[in-house]
Coordinates of all heavy atoms in Angstrom, one line a residue:
M792 N 9.2 -13.5 2.3 CA 8.4 -12.6 1.6 C 7.0 -12.7 2.4 O 6.5 -13.8 2.5 CB 8.2 -12.8 0.2 CG 8.1 -11.7 -0.7 SD 8.8 -10.2 -0.4 CE 10.2 -10.2 -1.5
M793 N 6.4 -11.5 2.6 CA 5.1 -11.5 3.2 C 4.2 -10.9 2.3 O 4.5 -10.0 1.5 CB 5.1 -10.8 4.5 CG 6.0 -11.3 5.6 SD 5.3 -12.7 6.4 CE 3.9 -12.2 7.3
T794 N 2.8 -11.2 2.4 CA 1.7 -10.4 1.6 C 0.7 -9.9 2.6 O 0.3 -10.7 3.6 CB 1.0 -11.4 0.6 OG1 2.0 -11.9 -0.2 CG2 0.0 -10.6 -0.2
I795 N 0.4 -8.7 2.5 CA -0.7 -8.1 3.3 C -1.7 -7.4 2.5 O -1.3 -7.0 1.3 CB -0.1 -7.0 4.3 CG1 -1.2 -6.6 5.3 CG2 0.6 -5.9 3.7 CD1 -0.5 -5.9 6.5
T796 N -2.9 -7.4 3.0 CA -4.0 -6.6 2.2 C -4.4 -5.5 3.1 O -4.9 -5.8 4.2 CB -5.2 -7.4 1.9 OG1 -4.7 -8.5 1.0 CG2 -6.3 -6.6 1.1
L797 N -4.3 -4.2 2.8 CA -4.6 -3.2 3.6 C -6.0 -2.5 3.0 O -6.1 -2.5 1.8 CB -3.6 -2.1 3.5 CG -2.1 -2.5 4.0 CD1 -1.1 -1.5 3.6 CD2 -2.2 -2.7 5.5
Q798 N -6.8 -2.1 4.0 CA -8.0 -1.4 3.6 C -7.6 0.1 3.5 O -7.3 0.6 4.5 CB -9.1 -1.6 4.8 CG -9.6 -3.0 4.8 CD -10.5 -3.4 3.7 OE1 -11.1 -2.6 3.2 NE2 -10.4 -4.8 3.4
V799 N -7.9 0.7 2.4 CA -7.5 2.1 2.2 C -8.8 2.9 1.8 O -9.5 2.5 0.8 CB -6.4 2.3 1.1 CG1 -6.1 3.7 1.0 CG2 -5.2 1.5 1.5
Q800 N -9.2 4.0 2.6 CA -10.3 4.7 2.2 C -9.9 6.0 1.5 O -8.8 6.6 1.6 CB -10.9 5.2 3.5 CG -11.6 4.0 4.4 CD -12.3 4.6 5.6 OE1 -11.8 5.5 6.3 NE2 -13.4 3.9 6.1
G801 N -10.7 6.4 0.5 CA -10.5 7.7 -0.2 C -9.9 7.4 -1.6 O -9.8 8.4 -2.4
M802 N -9.6 6.2 -2.1 CA -9.1 6.0 -3.4 C -10.2 5.9 -4.3 O -11.2 5.2 -4.1 CB -8.3 4.6 -3.5 CG -7.1 4.6 -2.6 SD -6.1 3.2 -2.9 CE -7.3 1.9 -2.6
T803 N -10.3 6.7 -5.3 CA -11.4 6.8 -6.2 C -11.1 6.7 -7.8 O -12.1 6.5 -8.5 CB -12.2 8.0 -6.0 OG1 -11.4 9.1 -6.2 CG2 -12.8 8.1 -4.7
C804 N -9.9 7.0 -8.1 CA -9.5 7.1 -9.5 C -8.1 6.5 -9.9 O -7.4 6.1 -9.0 CB -9.7 8.6 -9.9 SG -8.4 9.6 -9.1
G805 N -7.9 6.6 -11.1 CA -6.5 6.3 -11.6 C -5.4 7.1 -11.0 O -4.2 6.5 -10.7
H806 N -5.6 8.4 -10.7 CA -4.5 9.1 -9.9 C -4.3 8.5 -8.5 O -3.1 8.6 -8.1 CB -4.9 10.6 -9.9 CG -4.0 11.4 -9.0 ND1 -2.8 11.7 -9.5 CD2 -4.2 11.9 -7.7 CE1 -2.2 12.5 -8.4 NE2 -3.0 12.5 -7.4
C807 N -5.4 8.2 -7.9 CA -5.2 7.6 -6.5 C -4.5 6.4 -6.6 O -3.6 6.1 -5.7 CB -6.7 7.3 -6.0 SG -7.8 8.7 -5.8
K808 N -4.7 5.5 -7.5 CA -4.1 4.3 -7.7 C -2.6 4.5 -8.0 O -1.8 3.8 -7.3 CB -4.7 3.5 -8.9 CG -4.1 2.1 -9.2 CD -5.0 1.4 -10.2 CE -4.4 0.0 -10.4 NZ -5.2 -0.7 -11.4
A809 N -2.3 5.4 -8.8 CA -0.9 5.7 -9.1 C -0.2 6.3 -7.9 O 1.0 5.9 -7.7 CB -0.7 6.6 -10.3
A810 N -0.9 7.1 -7.2 CA -0.1 7.7 -6.0 C 0.2 6.6 -4.9 O 1.3 6.7 -4.5 CB -1.1 8.9 -5.3
V811 N -0.8 5.8 -4.7 CA -0.5 4.8 -3.6 C 0.5 3.8 -4.2 O 1.4 3.4 -3.4 CB -1.9 4.1 -3.2 CG1 -1.6 2.8 -2.4 CG2 -2.8 5.0 -2.6
T812 N 0.5 3.3 -5.4 CA 1.4 2.5 -6.0 C 2.8 3.0 -6.0 O 3.8 2.4 -5.5 CB 1.0 2.1 -7.4 OG1 -0.3 1.5 -7.4 CG2 2.0 1.2 -8.0
N813 N 3.0 4.2 -6.3 CA 4.3 4.9 -6.4 C 4.9 5.0 -5.1 O 6.1 4.8 -4.8 CB 4.2 6.2 -7.1 CG 4.0 6.0 -8.7 OD1 4.3 5.0 -9.2 ND2 3.5 7.1 -9.3
A814 N 4.1 5.4 -4.0 CA 4.4 5.6 -2.7 C 5.0 4.4 -2.0 O 6.0 4.4 -1.4 CB 3.4 6.3 -1.8
L815 N 4.4 3.3 -2.3 CA 4.8 2.0 -1.8 C 5.9 1.4 -2.4 O 6.8 0.9 -1.8 CB 3.7 1.0 -1.8 CG 2.4 1.4 -0.8 CD1 1.3 0.4 -1.2 CD2 2.9 1.1 0.7
Q816 N 6.0 1.6 -3.8 CA 7.1 1.0 -4.6 C 8.5 1.7 -4.3 O 9.5 1.1 -4.6 CB 6.7 1.0 -6.0 CG 5.8 0.0 -6.5 CD 5.5 -0.1 -8.0 OE1 5.6 0.9 -8.6 NE2 5.0 -1.2 -8.4
T817 N 8.4 2.9 -3.8 CA 9.8 3.5 -3.4 C 10.3 3.0 -2.2 O 11.5 3.3 -1.9 CB 9.5 5.1 -3.3 OG1 8.6 5.3 -2.2 CG2 9.0 5.8 -4.5
L818 N 9.5 2.3 -1.4 CA 10.1 1.7 -0.1 C 10.9 0.5 -0.4 O 10.6 -0.4 -1.2 CB 8.9 1.3 0.8 CG 8.0 2.4 1.3 CD1 6.8 1.8 2.0 CD2 8.7 3.4 2.2
D819 N 12.1 0.4 0.2 CA 13.0 -0.7 0.1 C 12.2 -1.9 0.8 O 11.8 -1.9 1.9 CB 14.4 -0.4 0.8 CG 15.3 -1.5 0.7 OD1 15.3 -2.2 -0.4 OD2 16.1 -1.8 1.6
G820 N 12.3 -3.1 0.1 CA 11.7 -4.2 0.5 C 10.3 -4.5 -0.1 O 9.8 -5.7 0.1
V821 N 9.7 -3.5 -0.8 CA 8.5 -3.8 -1.4 C 8.6 -4.4 -2.8 O 9.3 -3.9 -3.6 CB 7.5 -2.5 -1.5 CG1 6.3 -2.7 -2.3 CG2 7.2 -2.0 0.0
S822 N 8.0 -5.5 -3.1 CA 8.3 -6.2 -4.4 C 7.0 -6.0 -5.3 O 7.2 -6.1 -6.5 CB 8.7 -7.7 -4.2 OG 7.6 -8.3 -3.5
R823 N 5.9 -6.0 -4.8 CA 4.6 -6.0 -5.6 C 3.6 -5.1 -5.0 O 3.3 -5.3 -3.7 CB 4.2 -7.4 -5.8 CG 2.8 -7.4 -6.8 CD 2.3 -8.7 -6.9 NE 1.7 -9.2 -5.7 CZ 0.4 -9.1 -5.4 NH1 -0.4 -8.6 -6.2 NH2 -0.1 -9.6 -4.2
V824 N 2.9 -4.2 -5.7 CA 1.8 -3.5 -5.1 C 0.7 -3.6 -6.1 O 0.7 -3.5 -7.3 CB 2.0 -2.0 -5.0 CG1 0.9 -1.2 -4.6 CG2 3.2 -1.8 -4.0
E825 N -0.5 -4.1 -5.7 CA -1.8 -4.2 -6.4 C -2.9 -3.4 -5.9 O -3.3 -3.8 -4.7 CB -2.1 -5.7 -6.7 CG -3.2 -5.9 -7.8 CD -3.3 -7.2 -8.2 OE1 -2.4 -8.0 -8.0 OE2 -4.4 -7.6 -8.7
V826 N -3.4 -2.4 -6.4 CA -4.4 -1.6 -5.9 C -5.8 -2.0 -6.5 O -5.9 -2.1 -7.8 CB -4.2 -0.1 -6.2 CG1 -5.4 0.9 -5.8 CG2 -2.9 0.4 -5.5
H827 N -6.8 -2.2 -5.7 CA -8.2 -2.6 -6.1 C -9.0 -1.4 -5.7 O -9.6 -1.4 -4.6 CB -8.5 -3.9 -5.4 CG -7.6 -5.0 -5.7 ND1 -7.6 -5.8 -6.9 CD2 -6.6 -5.5 -4.9 CE1 -6.6 -6.6 -6.7 NE2 -6.1 -6.5 -5.6
L828 N -9.4 -0.6 -6.6 CA -10.1 0.7 -6.3 C -11.6 0.3 -5.9 O -12.2 0.8 -4.9 CB -10.3 1.6 -7.6 CG -9.1 2.3 -8.0 CD1 -9.2 3.1 -9.2 CD2 -8.6 3.2 -6.9
Q829 N -12.2 -0.7 -6.6 CA -13.6 -1.0 -6.3 C -13.8 -1.6 -4.8 O -14.6 -1.3 -4.2 CB -14.0 -2.1 -7.2 CG -14.1 -1.7 -8.7 CD -15.4 -0.8 -9.0 OE1 -15.9 -0.2 -8.1 NE2 -15.8 -0.9 -10.2
E830 N -12.8 -2.3 -4.4 CA -12.8 -3.0 -3.1 C -12.2 -2.1 -2.0 O -12.4 -2.3 -0.8 CB -12.1 -4.3 -3.0 CG -12.7 -5.3 -3.9 CD -12.2 -5.3 -5.3 OE1 -11.4 -4.5 -5.7 OE2 -12.9 -6.0 -6.1
G831 N -11.4 -1.0 -2.4 CA -10.8 -0.2 -1.5 C -9.6 -0.9 -0.8 O -9.4 -0.6 0.4
T832 N -9.0 -1.7 -1.4 CA -7.9 -2.5 -0.9 C -6.5 -2.4 -1.7 O -6.6 -2.1 -2.9 CB -8.2 -4.0 -0.7 OG1 -8.4 -4.5 -2.0 CG2 -9.4 -4.3 0.2
V833 N -5.5 -2.6 -0.9 CA -4.2 -2.7 -1.6 C -3.5 -3.9 -1.1 O -3.3 -4.2 0.1 CB -3.3 -1.5 -1.2 CG1 -1.9 -1.4 -1.9 CG2 -4.0 -0.1 -1.6
D834 N -2.9 -4.8 -2.0 CA -2.3 -5.9 -1.8 C -0.8 -5.6 -1.9 O -0.4 -5.0 -2.9 CB -2.5 -7.1 -2.8 CG -4.0 -7.5 -2.7 OD1 -4.6 -7.4 -1.6 OD2 -4.5 -8.1 -3.7
V835 N 0.1 -5.9 -0.9 CA 1.5 -5.5 -0.9 C 2.3 -6.8 -0.6 O 2.1 -7.6 0.4 CB 1.9 -4.5 0.1 CG1 3.2 -4.0 -0.1 CG2 0.9 -3.2 -0.2
D836 N 3.2 -7.2 -1.4 CA 4.3 -8.2 -1.2 C 5.4 -7.4 -0.7 O 6.0 -6.5 -1.4 CB 4.6 -9.0 -2.5 CG 3.5 -9.9 -2.9 OD1 2.4 -10.1 -2.1 OD2 3.5 -10.4 -4.0
Y837 N 6.0 -7.8 0.5 CA 7.2 -7.2 1.0 C 8.0 -8.0 1.9 O 7.6 -9.1 2.3 CB 6.6 -5.9 1.9 CG 5.9 -6.4 3.2 CD1 6.6 -6.4 4.3 CD2 4.6 -6.8 3.1 CE1 5.9 -6.8 5.4 CE2 3.9 -7.2 4.2 CZ 4.5 -7.1 5.4 OH 3.9 -7.6 6.5
D838 N 9.2 -7.6 2.0 CA 10.3 -8.3 2.9 C 10.2 -7.7 4.3 O 10.5 -6.6 4.4 CB 11.7 -8.1 2.2 CG 12.7 -8.9 3.0 OD1 12.4 -9.1 4.2 OD2 13.9 -9.1 2.4
E839 N 9.6 -8.5 5.1 CA 9.4 -8.0 6.5 C 10.8 -7.7 7.2 O 10.7 -6.9 8.3 CB 8.6 -9.0 7.4 CG 9.3 -10.4 7.8 CD 9.2 -11.3 6.6 OE1 8.9 -11.0 5.5 OE2 9.6 -12.5 7.0
T840 N 11.9 -8.0 6.7 CA 13.2 -7.7 7.3 C 13.6 -6.4 6.9 O 14.5 -5.8 7.5 CB 14.3 -8.8 7.0 OG1 14.5 -8.7 5.6 CG2 13.8 -10.1 7.5
K841 N 12.9 -5.9 5.8 CA 13.4 -4.5 5.4 C 12.4 -3.3 5.6 O 12.8 -2.2 5.7 CB 13.7 -4.6 3.9 CG 14.9 -5.5 3.5 CD 15.1 -5.4 2.0 CE 16.3 -6.3 1.7 NZ 16.5 -6.3 0.2
V842 N 11.1 -3.7 5.7 CA 10.0 -2.6 5.9 C 8.9 -3.2 6.8 O 8.6 -4.4 6.6 CB 9.6 -2.3 4.4 CG1 8.8 -3.3 3.7 CG2 8.7 -1.0 4.6
S843 N 8.5 -2.4 7.6 CA 7.4 -2.8 8.5 C 6.0 -2.5 8.0 O 5.9 -1.5 7.1 CB 7.6 -2.1 9.9 OG 7.4 -0.7 9.7
V844 N 5.0 -3.1 8.5 CA 3.6 -2.8 8.1 C 3.4 -1.2 8.5 O 2.7 -0.6 7.6 CB 2.6 -3.7 8.8 CG1 1.1 -3.2 8.6 CG2 2.8 -5.1 8.4
E845 N 3.9 -0.7 9.6 CA 3.7 0.7 9.9 C 4.3 1.6 8.9 O 3.6 2.6 8.4 CB 4.3 0.9 11.3 CG 3.5 0.5 12.5 CD 2.1 1.1 12.4 OE1 1.9 2.3 12.3 OE2 1.2 0.3 12.6
K846 N 5.4 1.3 8.3 CA 6.0 2.0 7.2 C 5.1 2.0 5.9 O 5.0 3.0 5.2 CB 7.4 1.6 6.9 CG 8.4 1.9 7.9 CD 8.7 3.4 7.9 CE 9.8 3.7 8.9 NZ 10.0 5.2 9.0
L847 N 4.4 0.9 5.6 CA 3.7 0.8 4.5 C 2.4 1.7 4.7 O 2.0 2.4 3.8 CB 3.1 -0.7 4.3 CG 4.2 -1.8 4.1 CD1 3.5 -3.1 4.1 CD2 5.0 -1.5 2.8
K848 N 1.8 1.6 5.9 CA 0.7 2.4 6.3 C 1.1 3.9 6.1 O 0.3 4.8 5.6 CB 0.0 2.1 7.6 CG -0.5 0.8 7.7 CD -1.0 0.5 9.1 CE -1.7 -0.9 9.0 NZ -2.2 -1.2 10.4
E849 N 2.2 4.3 6.7 CA 2.6 5.7 6.7 C 2.8 6.2 5.3 O 2.4 7.4 5.0 CB 4.0 5.9 7.4 CG 3.8 5.8 8.9 CD 5.2 5.8 9.6 OE1 6.2 6.3 8.9 OE2 5.3 5.4 10.8
A850 N 3.4 5.5 4.5 CA 3.6 5.9 3.0 C 2.3 6.2 2.4 O 2.1 7.1 1.5 CB 4.3 4.7 2.3
I851 N 1.2 5.4 2.7 CA -0.2 5.5 2.0 C -0.7 6.8 2.7 O -1.4 7.7 1.9 CB -1.0 4.4 2.3 CG1 -0.5 3.1 1.5 CG2 -2.4 4.6 1.8 CD1 -1.1 1.8 1.8
E852 N -0.7 6.9 4.0 CA -1.3 8.1 4.7 C -0.7 9.4 4.3 O -1.4 10.4 4.2 CB -1.2 7.9 6.2 CG -2.2 6.8 6.6 CD -2.0 6.3 8.1 OE1 -1.0 6.8 8.7 OE2 -2.8 5.6 8.6
E853 N 0.7 9.4 3.9 CA 1.4 10.6 3.5 C 0.8 11.1 2.2 O 0.9 12.2 1.7 CB 2.9 10.4 3.3 CG 3.6 10.3 4.7 CD 5.0 9.9 4.7 OE1 5.5 9.7 3.5 OE2 5.6 9.8 5.7
Q854 N 0.1 10.2 1.5 CA -0.6 10.6 0.2 C -2.0 11.1 0.3 O -2.6 11.4 -0.6 CB -0.5 9.2 -0.8 CG 0.8 8.9 -1.3 CD 1.7 9.9 -1.8 OE1 1.2 10.6 -2.8 NE2 2.8 10.1 -1.3
G855 N -2.4 11.0 1.6 CA -3.7 11.7 1.9 C -4.8 10.7 2.1 O -6.1 11.0 2.1
Y856 N -4.5 9.4 2.2 CA -5.6 8.3 2.4 C -5.5 7.8 3.7 O -4.6 7.8 4.5 CB -5.4 7.2 1.3 CG -5.3 7.8 -0.1 CD1 -4.1 7.9 -0.7 CD2 -6.4 8.1 -0.7 CE1 -3.9 8.5 -1.9 CE2 -6.3 8.6 -2.1 CZ -5.2 8.8 -2.6 OH -5.1 9.4 -3.9
N857 N -6.7 7.3 4.1 CA -6.8 6.6 5.4 C -6.7 5.1 5.3 O -7.4 4.4 4.4 CB -8.2 7.0 6.2 CG -8.3 8.4 6.4 OD1 -7.5 9.1 6.9 ND2 -9.5 8.9 6.2
V858 N -5.7 4.6 6.2 CA -5.6 3.0 6.2 C -6.3 2.5 7.4 O -6.1 3.0 8.6 CB -4.0 2.7 6.3 CG1 -3.9 1.1 6.2 CG2 -3.4 3.4 5.0
K859 N -7.1 1.5 7.3 CA -7.8 0.8 8.4 C -7.0 -0.4 8.8 O -6.3 -1.1 8.0 CB -9.2 0.4 7.9 CG -10.2 1.5 7.7 CD -10.7 1.9 9.0 CE -11.7 3.1 8.7 NZ -12.3 3.5 10.0

């Protein structure tokens, strides 16, 4: 299991938090998602044999947010 913290721009409210959380949790291999609106970060625990960092970023970007 790996943990990564992604910088995400554009998250401002509970809807943003829910959208990012739901998008990531639908990916096979993601076990935990924690969104920090104030910091603009998302902590993700994932199985690197099932999902790549690129897939994590794509899932967030598909919700309309920018990942640094």
Side-chain angles (χ1 to χ4, degrees):
M792 215 33 103
M793 299 286 292
T794 300
I795 189 170
T796 299
L797 300 170
Q798 294 286 329
V799 181
Q800 294 181 324
M802 298 186 302
T803 58
C804 64
H806 171 75
C807 299
K808 182 175 181 175
V811 170
T812 300
N813 291 338
L815 290 170
Q816 286 181 335
T817 62
L818 297 175
D819 185 35
V821 173
S822 62
R823 183 185 69 92
V824 176
E825 192 170 335
V826 176
H827 306 279
L828 290 177
Q829 297 283 29
E830 294 84 10
T832 62
V833 180
D834 298 332
V835 185
D836 292 348
Y837 67 100
D838 182 341
E839 70 276 16
T840 65
K841 294 183 178 180
V842 66
S843 67
V844 172
E845 280 306 310
K846 287 287 183 193
L847 300 175
K848 291 180 179 180
E849 285 174 19
I851 296 169
E852 289 170 348
E853 285 174 3
Q854 297 303 308
Y856 305 100
N857 295 320
V858 181
K859 291 275 180 181

